[in-house]
Amino acid sequence: MMRPGALVMASALALMLAGVAARSAPETASQKASTAASEHAAATGSASTPAPARQNTAASENTGVQKAGEYAIGKDNQVGPGLLHGWLFFGEYCARCHGPTGGGSTFAPSLLDAVKTLSKFEFESTVINGLQNKTTEQVMPAFGTVSDVVLHLNDIHQYLLDRADGKLGGGMLSLIGND
Amino acid sequence: MKSNRLAVWSTALTTAAFLLGGSAALAQNQGAAPTTNDLVNADQHPGQWLMPTGDYANTRFTSLKQINLSNAHGLHPVWQFSTGVLRGHEGGPLIVGDVMYFSTPFPNDVFALDLNHNGRVLWKYEPKQNPNVIPEMCCDTVNRGVAYGDGKIFLHQADNKVVALDAKTGKLLWSTEIGNWKVGETGTGAPQVIGDHVFAGISGGEFAVRGRIAALNVKTGKIDWVAYSSGPDKDVLLDPQKTTVMGKPVGPDSSLKTWQGDEWKLGGGGVWGWISYDPKLNLMYYGSGNPGTWDPVQRPGDNKWSTTIFARNPETGMAKWVFQMTPHDQWDYDGINEMILADTDVNGKPAHALVHFDRNGFAWVLDRENGMLLQANKFDPAVNWATHVDMQTGRPQVVKAKAPGDEGVDRNYKMICPAALGSKDEQPASYSPITHIFYVPTNHVCMDYEPFKVTYTPGQPYVGATLSMFPPQGQNHLGNFIAYDVNKGKIVWSDPEPFSVWSGALASAGGVAFYGTLEGYLKAVDEKTGKELYSYKTPSGIIGNVTPFEHDGKEYIAVLSGVGGWAGIGMAAGLTEDTAGLGAVGAYKALSDYTQLGGVLTVFGLD
């Protein structure tokens, strides 16, 4: 159960980020700060409707989640291990440029838009190979050698899809069964 | 143009010499700027501010007293200067003679302003830095200021170049790279000059760097020694027999023994805070940051010497003593906050004390000669990760339920106080040798903490934790400005602030203490009671340090505005108009309702 206070703070943080940080350079979405970020949707409980598991590959590492599918969405921002890891590694590697909620910054575009327009293959290829924008010379680094990212591409992609669809807020997630 | 500047400088020097009339060094060296020797007696030149923390003891105290209890209400802005840079403006200006020097956040421009002409620009240094450095910085693109010595201004750039600029002209004299930003080693701290060396440390505890401090020759920029925070004794500059911890030799491999496998190579222990120095003992003091990843499960052991106070000989770098404050850190409690050197009573007995208000919420008081622990009390009653410090071992007694990782990764450990920001972060406290009281800007914030396993890739974050932050249960404010008595080991008074107080404090002989707030207020309060005497809202939130100086016989107070830093981005953002859920925050408005990004220096004075 997420504390109401945390929800409030998380929600508030997102508003702040929308209002200030996102307009400043992207790196304002510092790793540390971004880990605490969320969007209003998280606080209003948009993710509270349980969804059927899309995959039923049981999680092997955590006994608390064996009942849940990899990408299950439960109550109170509790999710299956795949979505949890998608969120965690998004926060670790993507958020510092693409914003703590994936909504983009002045430094890099919204991934919530990109994930809807790119095919899964295009998404993976961009993450692995990086991107060079010849007009602005901004560069997205290649993550092909970052094992946490490569090994969790499906998780990150599914997390972003659920974010883009509004099934998940940008807030703190925990494993189904974690009290 | 150039000759005009030189003429101005010449006037500045004359005034400097006048202000420094008591200095024998200057008397022999007419027309010269303050020498490195003058830094030792910085507290005897109250009109100037020769180093970021005011003096080697890091007291941030001024003996100026024109601004005092009877007239502080009459303060007002005298002139302002836009830095031209947005983002978090930590640190503050130096005052050398008639010239004010300060640095900006990335791109780390340095300004020399003429105090004779309301801050006219004498020179500006604009480093050329690769913007790809920016994503390698964890907590905003801050720079905590420049150092002065040997007629030079020293800057530690984000890209880890330490540069020496001619104080008169801004000309680049030398540049030395002390770290590799491509692997996440960055520069954010203010350098410090001691003797023939300028010291600068590496930031990047969130990128698995091996934290270290470098001693550079002030004349040439040559690196004379480097001391790591983790690794073999020869890297950490420890003598297994002569270096002590709590009065006993540290023994061989004292760091390596406390890490599993090669994890020490990703050891963290960044050095990005303030540096103090005791000329009589010839010891310099600083702290190291958090160990490696924030996932404690990946690095069993005490992880020495992260979160540690080091006392080192500045010429050789060898450590005389060490003291670790948060063994096996599970909370991101860096130990980098300033070490204030105070000769004052502790527990009723006179002491040559080192006083350190740590991220972990304890005010550590040690004998600065031998590193023996004298006192360690909480300076925020909300602190709940440990019950107390065992005075025999020096170890905080950890509360298991508040220890992330103790029950594995991917779990949410809840309601831990303080948050990763600490009960206090880099914002330096002040100490008045008149009242013998410490004036401390603090955070009053708790967190939920969820660790997860990460794999190291050079230049990528190595955090492995996610967290959310909020005020202590049932409370409605995120900061306090407190007065703390180390003799009794307790808080004297506490002024609540809606947001973390992330501004360096100033104490004064006038009986007035100063600090800034995240909403942008510069405040003056009575040192005895905490009663507010003056408040003025500057254009952006204040995370800079309040700086006093005297010019043409009048006292002034200067401070940088420019919200940002870790607090300004993530933390302060945590309070907005959403009042549902936790009633205690009902009175709050978003920080963005109070202030916006900015970059302005404001100078206050009396009529």
Side-chain angles (χ1 to χ4, degrees), chain A residues 1-17 19-21 23-37 40 43 61-62 84-85 87-89 92-93 96-97 107 139 141-143 145-148 172-175 177-179, chain B residues 87 131 134-136 138-141 206-207 294 332 334 359 409-412 414-415 448-450 452-455 457 459-471 473 478 566 568-571 573-578 580-582 585 591-592 595-597:
Chain A
M1 178 64 195
M2 198 167 196
R3 292 178 54 260
L7 288 175
V8 169
M9 302 300 291
S11 163
L13 179 62
L15 292 172
M16 168 70 180
L17 287 161
V20 177
R23 274 206 300 279
S24 66
E27 55 282 5
T28 53
S30 73
Q31 180 62 35
K32 289 179 175 181
S34 68
T35 55
H40 194 68
E61 292 178 4
N62 193 311
L84 183 85
H85 288 129
W87 166 64
L88 291 173
F89 291 114
E92 182 86 7
Y93 297 103
R96 59 186 165 137
C97 290
F107 204 58
V139 175
F143 286 86
T145 60
V146 181
S147 59
D148 281 346
M172 207 165 178
L173 304 178
S174 59
L175 271 183
N178 180 200
D179 294 326
Chain B
R87 309 298 295 274
I134 293 173
E136 302 292 323
C138 82
C139 314
D140 204 5
T141 56
E206 283 57 59
F207 291 81
W294 289 23
D332 188 38
D334 292 58
R359 284 265 278 273
V409 295
D410 292 351
R411 288 189 61 84
N412 196 349
K414 297 184 179 179
M415 288 294 291
D448 292 347
Y449 192 112
E450 190 166 328
F452 62 98
K453 187 175 189 305
V454 279
T455 307
T457 309
Q460 292 293 331
Y462 192 57
V463 177
T466 184
L467 40 142
S468 70
M469 305 190 201
F470 37 82
Q473 204 157 25
L478 291 171
W566 189 5
I569 297 303
M571 185 54 254
L575 285 181
T576 67
E577 68 272 44
D578 191 335
L582 193 66
V585 287
L591 189 55
S592 57
T595 195
Q596 294 287 307
L597 297 180

Side-chain angles (χ1 to χ4, degrees), chain A residues 27-72:
Chain A
E27 55 282 5
T28 53
S30 73
Q31 180 62 35
K32 289 179 175 181
S34 68
T35 55
S38 174
E39 278 193 346
H40 194 68
T44 52
S46 67
S48 61
T49 309
R54 277 177 280 263
Q55 292 180 18
N56 282 313
T57 49
S60 56
E61 292 178 4
N62 193 311
T63 54
V65 298
Q66 285 183 352
K67 285 176 276 184
E70 281 285 316
Y71 299 122

Side-chain angles (χ1 to χ4, degrees), chain B residues 371-507:
Chain B
M372 296 299 288
L373 181 60
L374 303 176
Q375 189 188 82
N377 291 351
K378 295 175 182 178
F379 63 95
D380 182 350
V383 172
N384 70 6
W385 72 279
T387 54
H388 65 285
V389 170
D390 181 323
M391 295 301 288
Q392 299 307 311
T393 63
R395 291 180 81 97
Q397 301 302 293
V398 177
V399 175
K400 194 165 172 51
K402 307 295 182 188
D406 271 16
E407 293 180 36
V409 295
D410 292 351
R411 288 189 61 84
N412 196 349
Y413 297 78
K414 297 184 179 179
M415 288 294 291
I416 303 164
C417 313
L421 298 164
S423 294
K424 176 185 168 299
D425 204 276
E426 58 79 32
Q427 61 274 36
S430 58
Y431 165 72
S432 165
I434 296 173
T435 62
H436 291 279
I437 297 294
F438 292 78
Y439 302 93
V440 191
T442 72
N443 309 319
H444 190 56
V445 189
C446 303
M447 66 177 170
D448 292 347
Y449 192 112
E450 190 166 328
F452 62 98
K453 187 175 189 305
V454 279
T455 307
Y456 176 65
T457 309
Q460 292 293 331
Y462 192 57
V463 177
T466 184
L467 40 142
S468 70
M469 305 190 201
F470 37 82
Q473 204 157 25
Q475 303 206 15
N476 64 358
H477 64 287
L478 291 171
N480 293 298
F481 185 67
I482 69 168
Y484 190 89
D485 179 347
V486 297
N487 189 18
K488 295 174 180 160
K490 60 185 185 185
I491 296 168
V492 181
W493 50 257
S494 181
D495 285 348
E497 286 286 348
F499 302 100
S500 295
V501 185
W502 206 279
S503 149
L506 174 72

